[in-house]
Amino acid sequence: MGLKATLSRPLAAYTVHRYRQWQRDPAAAQLRLLRALVRAAAGTACGKAHDFQAIQTPADFAARVPIRDYEGLKTYFDQVKTGQPDVLWPGRPLYLAKTSGTTSGAKYIPITKASIGNHINGAKDALLHYVHATGRPRFLDGKLIFLSGSPELEQVGGIPTGRLSGIVNHHVPAYLRRNQLPSYATNCLEDWETKLDAIVGETLGQPMTLISGIPPWVQMYFDRLVACTGRPVGEVFPAFDLFVSGGVSMEPYRARLLESIGRPVASIELFPASEGFLAFQDQPGNPGLLLRLDSGIFFEFVPAERFFEDNPPRLTIAEVELGQQYAVVLTSNAGLWAYSLGDTVRFVDLHPHRVVVTGRIKHFLSAFGEHVIGEEVEAALREAVRQHPETEVTEFTVAPLVSDDKTQTSRHQWLIEFARPPHDAASFAAVLDHQLRQRNAYYDDLRQGHILVPLLLTPLPPGAFQRYMKSVGKLGGQNKVPRLGNDRALAEGLLGVKK
């Protein structure tokens, strides 16, 4: 065992001990954090406007600071982008993390001197928890690859700006830099397919031990490796020992990823976002992700079904319950104040607090009042694949298909790209429909009342999702395919590149 692996063991033990200190009273840790945040930012433009000096409790905070998404805080973010100091957080940000997905185009999320550690230490702490739980640190002695965006940064208002993964790349510890692939030059390539070919060329023949990235883009990398070598990834990289995923749930991709690898490989799931590194899988085999309640983020949780009310309840970590769906609201040392992240979670443990990510608060399907969420369609698809084991799914999304009043054929349309299609597509569709009815009572009511007819399964040709994402400039990096939508923009886009 090499020096890095050997030294990681005492560091892992120390890290786990540090987490357990605040886990004894997470509510107290969160309260201390909230008070420290409002004290630090009381002199900023946002702090003065919302009377931060008077805030002592979460109730005080909720009374003075409304929940807002990026658009709601855009006036402040625009001031930050011009280089103005003391807007949301003292001074100016170290970086702006540029991401996409809002109605006004790109988002620019501040990363401050106080918050950069949240992003850097999240993945490190996840790996050290894995080492502590398994006693398997050997992956630290091999080559590690992080499929990420370009580390090249532009200047916006005098502030270095780029993709979060590219920003974090500048902060990889020196002791890991020599292990890291791909090279800086390759990481700077903007065209994803060109970059992917270069990554394959640089990693073949290397002792790869850890591979990390968003599952669909890692799958593209695996496909290129298999096509190039004619062998499964696990044979190409016999020392490959740990897969680290984040950005989207791994479950819809797990079967195909493991088939590409050709043998079992340990995995860890992360919950990173441009707004902060929220949670990670601290126990192998336990799907729950441990919330980081002492890393610069104060959390509030809004019951998902009440999120769009004028004044929804805002629960602290002391008030959440198992099994409930919550929208996540963040306040952080990046200068985010009651910021609606857009993700929904469900608590699976309360001692310590662990969640599973269930979808996006805006990515739900409720064109007919059913309010179907991502977790439900993913679970329905898993069961359909289980009952049709010959089937392999590459990617999918679900959209409404609304008929006119005469035909009465409104339904959900499932657009699925199969690596291996089911032998009986009608049976596969029937299982999907039945499983969704089992998981969502509103959908079942609409089906019983014949307001909706059985879903329409639309198989897409190989590469359809990749071609679509390329056509809209979102191939690779941190981009994700929405599972659900209330309109047909994505569906029509996919059907438009079908051929």
Side-chain angles (χ1 to χ4, degrees), residues 215-216 219 223 250-260 377-378 380-386 388-398 414-422 428 432 457-463 465 483:
Q219 184 63 62
D223 289 345
M250 184 178 167
E251 284 309 311
Y253 308 96
R254 186 182 297 276
R256 188 159 179 240
L257 285 165
L258 290 176
E259 182 182 51
S260 298
V377 295
E378 289 183 354
L381 184 61
R382 281 199 304 273
E383 181 58 24
V385 170
R386 189 191 70 79
H388 296 76
E390 77 282 2
T391 306
E392 191 174 283
V393 173
T394 299
E395 190 61 274
F396 79 101
T397 192
V398 187
W414 289 62
L415 298 102
I416 303 181
E417 180 183 329
F418 291 104
R420 288 198 302 265
F428 189 88
L432 283 177
L457 174 61
T458 303
L460 297 177
F465 278 88
R483 286 283 172 253

CSV table of all heavy atoms in Angstrom, one decimal, residues 215-216 219 223 250-260 377-378 380-386 388-398 414-422 428 432 457-463 465 483:
chain,number,residue,atom,x,y,z
A,215,PRO,N,-23.4,10.3,-14.5
A,215,PRO,CA,-23.6,9.0,-15.1
A,215,PRO,C,-23.7,9.0,-16.6
A,215,PRO,O,-23.1,8.2,-17.2
A,215,PRO,CB,-24.8,8.4,-14.3
A,215,PRO,CG,-24.7,9.0,-13.0
A,215,PRO,CD,-24.2,10.4,-13.2
A,216,PRO,N,-24.6,9.8,-17.2
A,216,PRO,CA,-24.8,9.6,-18.7
A,216,PRO,C,-23.5,10.0,-19.4
A,216,PRO,O,-23.2,9.4,-20.5
A,216,PRO,CB,-25.9,10.6,-19.0
A,216,PRO,CG,-26.1,11.5,-17.9
A,216,PRO,CD,-25.6,10.7,-16.7
A,219,GLN,N,-21.1,7.2,-19.0
A,219,GLN,CA,-21.4,6.1,-19.9
A,219,GLN,C,-20.9,6.3,-21.3
A,219,GLN,O,-20.4,5.4,-22.0
A,219,GLN,CB,-23.0,5.9,-20.0
A,219,GLN,CG,-23.4,4.7,-20.8
A,219,GLN,CD,-23.0,3.4,-20.2
A,219,GLN,OE1,-23.3,3.1,-19.1
A,219,GLN,NE2,-22.2,2.7,-21.0
A,223,ASP,N,-18.5,3.8,-23.3
A,223,ASP,CA,-18.8,3.3,-24.6
A,223,ASP,C,-17.6,3.4,-25.6
A,223,ASP,O,-17.3,2.5,-26.4
A,223,ASP,CB,-20.0,4.0,-25.2
A,223,ASP,CG,-21.3,3.6,-24.5
A,223,ASP,OD1,-21.4,2.6,-23.8
A,223,ASP,OD2,-22.3,4.4,-24.7
A,250,MET,N,-28.0,7.9,-9.8
A,250,MET,CA,-27.3,6.9,-10.6
A,250,MET,C,-28.2,5.7,-11.0
A,250,MET,O,-27.9,5.0,-11.9
A,250,MET,CB,-26.1,6.4,-9.8
A,250,MET,CG,-25.3,5.3,-10.5
A,250,MET,SD,-23.9,4.8,-9.5
A,250,MET,CE,-23.3,3.4,-10.4
A,251,GLU,N,-29.4,5.6,-10.3
A,251,GLU,CA,-30.2,4.4,-10.4
A,251,GLU,C,-30.6,4.1,-11.9
A,251,GLU,O,-30.5,2.9,-12.3
A,251,GLU,CB,-31.4,4.4,-9.5
A,251,GLU,CG,-31.1,4.1,-8.1
A,251,GLU,CD,-30.2,2.9,-7.9
A,251,GLU,OE1,-30.6,1.8,-8.5
A,251,GLU,OE2,-29.2,2.9,-7.2
A,252,PRO,N,-31.1,5.1,-12.6
A,252,PRO,CA,-31.5,4.7,-14.0
A,252,PRO,C,-30.4,4.3,-14.9
A,252,PRO,O,-30.6,3.6,-15.9
A,252,PRO,CB,-32.1,6.0,-14.5
A,252,PRO,CG,-32.5,6.8,-13.3
A,252,PRO,CD,-31.4,6.4,-12.3
A,253,TYR,N,-29.1,4.6,-14.5
A,253,TYR,CA,-28.0,4.2,-15.3
A,253,TYR,C,-27.2,3.1,-14.8
A,253,TYR,O,-26.3,2.6,-15.5
A,253,TYR,CB,-27.1,5.5,-15.4
A,253,TYR,CG,-27.8,6.7,-15.9
A,253,TYR,CD1,-28.2,7.6,-14.9
A,253,TYR,CD2,-28.0,7.0,-17.2
A,253,TYR,CE1,-28.9,8.8,-15.3
A,253,TYR,CE2,-28.7,8.2,-17.6
A,253,TYR,CZ,-29.1,9.1,-16.6
A,253,TYR,OH,-29.8,10.2,-17.0
A,254,ARG,N,-27.5,2.6,-13.6
A,254,ARG,CA,-26.6,1.7,-12.9
A,254,ARG,C,-26.4,0.4,-13.7
A,254,ARG,O,-25.3,-0.1,-13.8
A,254,ARG,CB,-27.2,1.4,-11.5
A,254,ARG,CG,-26.3,0.5,-10.7
A,254,ARG,CD,-26.9,0.1,-9.3
A,254,ARG,NE,-27.1,1.3,-8.5
A,254,ARG,CZ,-26.2,1.9,-7.7
A,254,ARG,NH1,-25.0,1.3,-7.7
A,254,ARG,NH2,-26.4,2.9,-7.0
A,255,ALA,N,-27.5,-0.2,-14.2
A,255,ALA,CA,-27.4,-1.5,-14.8
A,255,ALA,C,-26.5,-1.4,-16.0
A,255,ALA,O,-25.6,-2.3,-16.2
A,255,ALA,CB,-28.8,-2.0,-15.2
A,256,ARG,N,-26.6,-0.4,-16.9
A,256,ARG,CA,-25.8,-0.3,-18.1
A,256,ARG,C,-24.4,0.0,-17.7
A,256,ARG,O,-23.4,-0.5,-18.4
A,256,ARG,CB,-26.4,0.7,-19.0
A,256,ARG,CG,-25.7,0.7,-20.4
A,256,ARG,CD,-26.5,1.4,-21.5
A,256,ARG,NE,-25.8,1.3,-22.7
A,256,ARG,CZ,-25.4,2.4,-23.4
A,256,ARG,NH1,-25.8,3.6,-23.0
A,256,ARG,NH2,-24.8,2.3,-24.5
A,257,LEU,N,-24.2,0.9,-16.7
A,257,LEU,CA,-22.8,1.2,-16.3
A,257,LEU,C,-22.1,-0.1,-15.9
A,257,LEU,O,-20.9,-0.3,-16.3
A,257,LEU,CB,-22.8,2.3,-15.2
A,257,LEU,CG,-23.1,3.7,-15.6
A,257,LEU,CD1,-23.4,4.5,-14.4
A,257,LEU,CD2,-21.9,4.3,-16.4
A,258,LEU,N,-22.7,-0.9,-15.0
A,258,LEU,CA,-22.1,-2.1,-14.5
A,258,LEU,C,-21.9,-3.1,-15.6
A,258,LEU,O,-20.9,-3.8,-15.6
A,258,LEU,CB,-23.0,-2.7,-13.4
A,258,LEU,CG,-23.0,-1.9,-12.1
A,258,LEU,CD1,-24.0,-2.5,-11.1
A,258,LEU,CD2,-21.6,-1.8,-11.5
A,259,GLU,N,-22.8,-3.1,-16.6
A,259,GLU,CA,-22.6,-4.0,-17.7
A,259,GLU,C,-21.3,-3.6,-18.5
A,259,GLU,O,-20.6,-4.4,-19.0
A,259,GLU,CB,-23.8,-4.0,-18.6
A,259,GLU,CG,-23.6,-5.0,-19.8
A,259,GLU,CD,-24.8,-5.0,-20.7
A,259,GLU,OE1,-25.2,-3.9,-21.2
A,259,GLU,OE2,-25.3,-6.1,-21.1
A,260,SER,N,-21.2,-2.3,-18.7
A,260,SER,CA,-20.0,-1.8,-19.4
A,260,SER,C,-18.7,-2.1,-18.7
A,260,SER,O,-17.7,-2.4,-19.3
A,260,SER,CB,-20.1,-0.3,-19.6
A,260,SER,OG,-21.2,0.0,-20.4
A,377,VAL,N,-41.3,8.2,-11.5
A,377,VAL,CA,-41.1,7.6,-12.8
A,377,VAL,C,-39.9,6.8,-12.9
A,377,VAL,O,-39.8,5.7,-13.6
A,377,VAL,CB,-41.1,8.7,-13.9
A,377,VAL,CG1,-42.4,9.4,-14.0
A,377,VAL,CG2,-39.9,9.7,-13.7
A,378,GLU,N,-38.8,7.1,-12.1
A,378,GLU,CA,-37.6,6.3,-12.1
A,378,GLU,C,-37.9,5.0,-11.4
A,378,GLU,O,-37.4,3.9,-11.9
A,378,GLU,CB,-36.5,7.0,-11.3
A,378,GLU,CG,-35.9,8.2,-12.1
A,378,GLU,CD,-34.8,8.9,-11.4
A,378,GLU,OE1,-34.5,8.5,-10.3
A,378,GLU,OE2,-34.2,9.8,-12.0
A,380,ALA,N,-40.9,3.4,-11.4
A,380,ALA,CA,-41.7,2.7,-12.3
A,380,ALA,C,-40.8,2.1,-13.4
A,380,ALA,O,-41.0,0.9,-13.8
A,380,ALA,CB,-42.8,3.6,-12.9
A,381,LEU,N,-39.9,2.8,-13.9
A,381,LEU,CA,-39.0,2.3,-15.0
A,381,LEU,C,-38.1,1.2,-14.4
A,381,LEU,O,-37.9,0.1,-15.1
A,381,LEU,CB,-38.1,3.4,-15.5
A,381,LEU,CG,-37.2,3.0,-16.7
A,381,LEU,CD1,-38.1,2.6,-17.9
A,381,LEU,CD2,-36.4,4.2,-17.1
A,382,ARG,N,-37.6,1.3,-13.2
A,382,ARG,CA,-36.8,0.2,-12.7
A,382,ARG,C,-37.6,-1.1,-12.6
A,382,ARG,O,-37.1,-2.2,-12.9
A,382,ARG,CB,-36.3,0.6,-11.3
A,382,ARG,CG,-35.1,1.5,-11.2
A,382,ARG,CD,-34.4,1.5,-9.9
A,382,ARG,NE,-35.2,1.8,-8.8
A,382,ARG,CZ,-35.5,3.0,-8.4
A,382,ARG,NH1,-35.0,4.1,-9.0
A,382,ARG,NH2,-36.3,3.3,-7.3
A,383,GLU,N,-38.8,-1.0,-12.2
A,383,GLU,CA,-39.7,-2.2,-12.0
A,383,GLU,C,-40.0,-2.8,-13.4
A,383,GLU,O,-40.0,-4.0,-13.6
A,383,GLU,CB,-41.0,-1.9,-11.3
A,383,GLU,CG,-41.9,-3.1,-11.1
A,383,GLU,CD,-41.2,-4.2,-10.3
A,383,GLU,OE1,-40.3,-4.0,-9.6
A,383,GLU,OE2,-41.7,-5.4,-10.5
A,384,ALA,N,-40.2,-1.9,-14.4
A,384,ALA,CA,-40.5,-2.4,-15.7
A,384,ALA,C,-39.3,-3.2,-16.3
A,384,ALA,O,-39.4,-4.2,-16.9
A,384,ALA,CB,-40.9,-1.3,-16.7
A,385,VAL,N,-38.1,-2.6,-16.0
A,385,VAL,CA,-36.9,-3.3,-16.5
A,385,VAL,C,-36.6,-4.6,-15.7
A,385,VAL,O,-36.2,-5.6,-16.3
A,385,VAL,CB,-35.6,-2.4,-16.3
A,385,VAL,CG1,-34.3,-3.1,-16.6
A,385,VAL,CG2,-35.8,-1.2,-17.3
A,386,ARG,N,-37.0,-4.6,-14.4
A,386,ARG,CA,-36.8,-5.8,-13.7
A,386,ARG,C,-37.7,-6.9,-14.2
A,386,ARG,O,-37.3,-8.1,-14.3
A,386,ARG,CB,-37.2,-5.6,-12.2
A,386,ARG,CG,-36.8,-6.7,-11.2
A,386,ARG,CD,-37.4,-6.5,-9.9
A,386,ARG,NE,-38.9,-6.6,-9.9
A,386,ARG,CZ,-39.5,-7.8,-9.9
A,386,ARG,NH1,-38.8,-9.0,-9.9
A,386,ARG,NH2,-40.8,-7.8,-9.9
A,388,HIS,N,-38.7,-7.2,-17.3
A,388,HIS,CA,-38.3,-7.4,-18.6
A,388,HIS,C,-36.8,-7.4,-18.7
A,388,HIS,O,-36.2,-6.4,-19.2
A,388,HIS,CB,-38.9,-6.4,-19.6
A,388,HIS,CG,-40.4,-6.5,-19.7
A,388,HIS,ND1,-41.2,-6.0,-18.7
A,388,HIS,CD2,-41.2,-7.0,-20.6
A,388,HIS,CE1,-42.5,-6.2,-19.1
A,388,HIS,NE2,-42.5,-6.8,-20.2
A,389,PRO,N,-36.1,-8.4,-18.1
A,389,PRO,CA,-34.7,-8.3,-17.8
A,389,PRO,C,-33.8,-8.2,-19.1
A,389,PRO,O,-32.6,-7.9,-19.0
A,389,PRO,CB,-34.4,-9.6,-17.1
A,389,PRO,CG,-35.5,-10.5,-17.4
A,389,PRO,CD,-36.7,-9.6,-17.6
A,390,GLU,N,-34.4,-8.5,-20.3
A,390,GLU,CA,-33.6,-8.4,-21.5
A,390,GLU,C,-33.4,-6.9,-21.9
A,390,GLU,O,-32.6,-6.6,-22.8
A,390,GLU,CB,-34.3,-9.1,-22.6
A,390,GLU,CG,-35.6,-8.4,-23.2
A,390,GLU,CD,-36.8,-8.5,-22.4
A,390,GLU,OE1,-36.8,-9.1,-21.3
A,390,GLU,OE2,-37.9,-7.9,-22.8
A,391,THR,N,-34.1,-6.0,-21.2
A,391,THR,CA,-34.2,-4.6,-21.6
A,391,THR,C,-33.1,-3.8,-20.9
A,391,THR,O,-32.7,-4.0,-19.8
A,391,THR,CB,-35.5,-4.0,-21.1
A,391,THR,OG1,-36.6,-4.8,-21.6
A,391,THR,CG2,-35.7,-2.5,-21.6
A,392,GLU,N,-32.5,-2.8,-21.7
A,392,GLU,CA,-31.5,-1.9,-21.2
A,392,GLU,C,-31.8,-0.5,-21.6
A,392,GLU,O,-32.0,-0.3,-22.8
A,392,GLU,CB,-30.1,-2.4,-21.7
A,392,GLU,CG,-29.0,-1.7,-21.0
A,392,GLU,CD,-27.7,-2.2,-21.5
A,392,GLU,OE1,-27.3,-3.3,-21.0
A,392,GLU,OE2,-27.0,-1.6,-22.3
A,393,VAL,N,-32.0,0.4,-20.7
A,393,VAL,CA,-32.3,1.8,-21.0
A,393,VAL,C,-31.1,2.7,-21.0
A,393,VAL,O,-30.3,2.6,-20.0
A,393,VAL,CB,-33.4,2.3,-20.0
A,393,VAL,CG1,-33.7,3.8,-20.2
A,393,VAL,CG2,-34.7,1.5,-20.1
A,394,THR,N,-31.0,3.5,-22.0
A,394,THR,CA,-29.9,4.5,-22.0
A,394,THR,C,-30.3,5.8,-21.4
A,394,THR,O,-29.6,6.4,-20.6
A,394,THR,CB,-29.5,4.7,-23.5
A,394,THR,OG1,-29.0,3.5,-24.1
A,394,THR,CG2,-28.4,5.8,-23.6
A,395,GLU,N,-31.5,6.3,-21.8
A,395,GLU,CA,-32.0,7.6,-21.3
A,395,GLU,C,-33.5,7.7,-21.5
A,395,GLU,O,-34.0,7.0,-22.4
A,395,GLU,CB,-31.2,8.7,-22.0
A,395,GLU,CG,-31.4,10.1,-21.4
A,395,GLU,CD,-30.9,10.3,-20.0
A,395,GLU,OE1,-31.7,9.9,-19.1
A,395,GLU,OE2,-29.8,10.7,-19.8
A,396,PHE,N,-34.1,8.6,-20.8
A,396,PHE,CA,-35.6,8.7,-21.0
A,396,PHE,C,-36.1,10.1,-20.4
A,396,PHE,O,-35.4,10.7,-19.6
A,396,PHE,CB,-36.4,7.6,-20.3
A,396,PHE,CG,-36.5,7.7,-18.8
A,396,PHE,CD1,-37.7,8.2,-18.3
A,396,PHE,CD2,-35.5,7.4,-17.9
A,396,PHE,CE1,-37.9,8.3,-16.9
A,396,PHE,CE2,-35.7,7.6,-16.6
A,396,PHE,CZ,-36.9,8.0,-16.0
A,397,THR,N,-37.3,10.5,-20.9
A,397,THR,CA,-38.0,11.6,-20.3
A,397,THR,C,-39.5,11.3,-20.5
A,397,THR,O,-39.9,10.5,-21.4
A,397,THR,CB,-37.5,12.9,-20.9
A,397,THR,OG1,-38.1,14.0,-20.2
A,397,THR,CG2,-38.0,13.0,-22.4
A,398,VAL,N,-40.3,12.0,-19.8
A,398,VAL,CA,-41.8,11.9,-19.8
A,398,VAL,C,-42.4,13.2,-20.0
A,398,VAL,O,-42.0,14.2,-19.4
A,398,VAL,CB,-42.3,11.2,-18.5
A,398,VAL,CG1,-43.8,10.9,-18.7
A,398,VAL,CG2,-41.5,10.0,-18.2
A,414,TRP,N,-43.9,8.5,-22.8
A,414,TRP,CA,-42.6,8.2,-22.4
A,414,TRP,C,-41.7,8.0,-23.6
A,414,TRP,O,-41.9,7.2,-24.4
A,414,TRP,CB,-42.6,6.8,-21.6
A,414,TRP,CG,-43.2,6.9,-20.3
A,414,TRP,CD1,-44.5,7.2,-20.0
A,414,TRP,CD2,-42.6,6.6,-19.0
A,414,TRP,NE1,-44.8,7.2,-18.6
A,414,TRP,CE2,-43.6,6.8,-18.0
A,414,TRP,CE3,-41.4,6.2,-18.6
A,414,TRP,CZ2,-43.4,6.6,-16.7
A,414,TRP,CZ3,-41.1,6.0,-17.3
A,414,TRP,CH2,-42.1,6.2,-16.3
A,415,LEU,N,-40.7,8.9,-23.7
A,415,LEU,CA,-39.7,8.8,-24.8
A,415,LEU,C,-38.4,8.2,-24.2
A,415,LEU,O,-37.7,8.7,-23.3
A,415,LEU,CB,-39.4,10.2,-25.3
A,415,LEU,CG,-40.6,10.9,-25.9
A,415,LEU,CD1,-41.1,12.0,-24.9
A,415,LEU,CD2,-40.2,11.6,-27.2
A,416,ILE,N,-38.2,6.9,-24.6
A,416,ILE,CA,-37.1,6.1,-24.1
A,416,ILE,C,-36.1,5.7,-25.2
A,416,ILE,O,-36.5,5.2,-26.2
A,416,ILE,CB,-37.6,4.9,-23.4
A,416,ILE,CG1,-38.7,5.2,-22.3
A,416,ILE,CG2,-36.5,4.1,-22.8
A,416,ILE,CD1,-39.2,4.1,-21.5
A,417,GLU,N,-34.8,6.0,-24.9
A,417,GLU,CA,-33.8,5.4,-25.8
A,417,GLU,C,-33.3,4.1,-25.2
A,417,GLU,O,-32.8,4.1,-24.0
A,417,GLU,CB,-32.6,6.4,-25.9
A,417,GLU,CG,-31.5,6.0,-26.8
A,417,GLU,CD,-30.3,6.9,-26.8
A,417,GLU,OE1,-30.6,8.2,-26.7
A,417,GLU,OE2,-29.2,6.5,-27.0
A,418,PHE,N,-33.5,3.0,-25.9
A,418,PHE,CA,-33.1,1.7,-25.4
A,418,PHE,C,-31.8,1.3,-26.0
A,418,PHE,O,-31.5,1.5,-27.2
A,418,PHE,CB,-34.1,0.7,-25.8
A,418,PHE,CG,-35.5,0.8,-25.1
A,418,PHE,CD1,-36.6,1.3,-25.8
A,418,PHE,CD2,-35.7,0.3,-23.8
A,418,PHE,CE1,-37.8,1.4,-25.2
A,418,PHE,CE2,-36.9,0.4,-23.2
A,418,PHE,CZ,-38.0,1.0,-23.9
A,419,ALA,N,-30.9,0.8,-25.1
A,419,ALA,CA,-29.7,0.1,-25.6
A,419,ALA,C,-30.1,-1.3,-26.1
A,419,ALA,O,-29.6,-1.8,-27.1
A,419,ALA,CB,-28.6,0.0,-24.5
A,420,ARG,N,-31.1,-1.9,-25.4
A,420,ARG,CA,-31.7,-3.1,-25.8
A,420,ARG,C,-33.2,-3.0,-25.5
A,420,ARG,O,-33.6,-2.9,-24.3
A,420,ARG,CB,-31.1,-4.3,-25.0
A,420,ARG,CG,-29.7,-4.7,-25.4
A,420,ARG,CD,-29.4,-6.1,-25.0
A,420,ARG,NE,-29.5,-6.3,-23.6
A,420,ARG,CZ,-28.5,-6.2,-22.7
A,420,ARG,NH1,-27.3,-5.9,-23.1
A,420,ARG,NH2,-28.7,-6.4,-21.4
A,421,PRO,N,-34.0,-3.0,-26.5
A,421,PRO,CA,-35.5,-2.8,-26.3
A,421,PRO,C,-36.1,-4.1,-25.7
A,421,PRO,O,-35.6,-5.2,-25.8
A,421,PRO,CB,-36.0,-2.5,-27.7
A,421,PRO,CG,-35.0,-3.2,-28.6
A,421,PRO,CD,-33.7,-3.1,-27.9
A,422,PRO,N,-37.3,-3.9,-25.1
A,422,PRO,CA,-38.0,-5.1,-24.5
A,422,PRO,C,-38.5,-5.9,-25.7
A,422,PRO,O,-38.8,-5.4,-26.8
A,422,PRO,CB,-39.2,-4.4,-23.7
A,422,PRO,CG,-39.3,-3.1,-24.4
A,422,PRO,CD,-38.0,-2.6,-24.8
A,428,PHE,N,-44.2,-4.0,-21.6
A,428,PHE,CA,-43.3,-3.0,-20.9
A,428,PHE,C,-44.1,-1.8,-20.6
A,428,PHE,O,-44.0,-1.3,-19.5
A,428,PHE,CB,-42.1,-2.7,-21.8
A,428,PHE,CG,-41.0,-2.0,-21.1
A,428,PHE,CD1,-40.0,-2.6,-20.4
A,428,PHE,CD2,-41.0,-0.6,-21.2
A,428,PHE,CE1,-39.0,-1.9,-19.8
A,428,PHE,CE2,-40.0,0.1,-20.5
A,428,PHE,CZ,-39.0,-0.6,-19.8
A,432,LEU,N,-45.1,-0.1,-16.9
A,432,LEU,CA,-44.9,1.3,-16.5
A,432,LEU,C,-46.1,2.0,-16.0
A,432,LEU,O,-46.1,2.7,-15.0
A,432,LEU,CB,-44.3,2.1,-17.8
A,432,LEU,CG,-42.9,1.9,-18.2
A,432,LEU,CD1,-42.7,2.7,-19.5
A,432,LEU,CD2,-41.9,2.3,-17.1
A,457,LEU,N,-45.7,4.7,-25.2
A,457,LEU,CA,-44.3,4.4,-25.2
A,457,LEU,C,-43.7,4.7,-26.6
A,457,LEU,O,-44.1,4.2,-27.6
A,457,LEU,CB,-44.0,3.0,-24.8
A,457,LEU,CG,-42.6,2.5,-24.9
A,457,LEU,CD1,-41.7,3.3,-23.9
A,457,LEU,CD2,-42.5,1.0,-24.6
A,458,THR,N,-42.7,5.7,-26.6
A,458,THR,CA,-42.1,6.1,-27.9
A,458,THR,C,-40.6,5.7,-27.8
A,458,THR,O,-39.8,6.5,-27.2
A,458,THR,CB,-42.3,7.6,-28.2
A,458,THR,OG1,-43.7,7.8,-28.2
A,458,THR,CG2,-41.7,7.9,-29.5
A,459,PRO,N,-40.2,4.6,-28.4
A,459,PRO,CA,-38.8,4.3,-28.4
A,459,PRO,C,-38.0,5.3,-29.4
A,459,PRO,O,-38.5,5.7,-30.4
A,459,PRO,CB,-38.7,2.9,-29.0
A,459,PRO,CG,-40.1,2.3,-28.8
A,459,PRO,CD,-41.0,3.5,-29.0
A,460,LEU,N,-36.9,5.7,-28.9
A,460,LEU,CA,-36.0,6.6,-29.7
A,460,LEU,C,-34.8,5.9,-30.2
A,460,LEU,O,-34.3,4.9,-29.6
A,460,LEU,CB,-35.6,7.8,-28.9
A,460,LEU,CG,-36.7,8.8,-28.4
A,460,LEU,CD1,-36.1,9.9,-27.5
A,460,LEU,CD2,-37.5,9.4,-29.6
A,461,PRO,N,-34.3,6.3,-31.4
A,461,PRO,CA,-33.1,5.5,-31.9
A,461,PRO,C,-31.9,5.8,-31.1
A,461,PRO,O,-31.8,6.8,-30.4
A,461,PRO,CB,-33.0,6.1,-33.3
A,461,PRO,CG,-33.6,7.5,-33.2
A,461,PRO,CD,-34.7,7.3,-32.2
A,462,PRO,N,-30.9,4.9,-31.2
A,462,PRO,CA,-29.6,5.1,-30.5
A,462,PRO,C,-29.0,6.5,-30.8
A,462,PRO,O,-29.0,7.0,-31.9
A,462,PRO,CB,-28.7,4.0,-31.0
A,462,PRO,CG,-29.7,3.0,-31.5
A,462,PRO,CD,-30.9,3.7,-32.0
A,463,GLY,N,-28.6,7.1,-29.7
A,463,GLY,CA,-27.9,8.4,-29.8
A,463,GLY,C,-28.9,9.6,-29.9
A,463,GLY,O,-28.4,10.8,-30.0
A,465,PHE,N,-30.7,11.2,-27.6
A,465,PHE,CA,-30.6,12.2,-26.5
A,465,PHE,C,-29.2,12.9,-26.7
A,465,PHE,O,-29.2,14.1,-26.5
A,465,PHE,CB,-30.6,11.5,-25.2
A,465,PHE,CG,-32.0,11.3,-24.7
A,465,PHE,CD1,-32.7,10.1,-25.0
A,465,PHE,CD2,-32.7,12.2,-23.9
A,465,PHE,CE1,-34.0,9.9,-24.5
A,465,PHE,CE2,-33.9,12.0,-23.4
A,465,PHE,CZ,-34.6,10.8,-23.7
A,483,ARG,N,-36.1,14.8,-16.3
A,483,ARG,CA,-37.0,13.6,-16.4
A,483,ARG,C,-38.4,13.9,-16.7
A,483,ARG,O,-39.1,13.0,-17.3
A,483,ARG,CB,-37.0,12.9,-15.0
A,483,ARG,CG,-35.7,12.2,-14.6
A,483,ARG,CD,-35.6,10.9,-15.4
A,483,ARG,NE,-34.2,10.3,-15.2
A,483,ARG,CZ,-33.3,10.3,-16.1
A,483,ARG,NH1,-33.6,10.7,-17.3
A,483,ARG,NH2,-32.2,9.7,-15.9
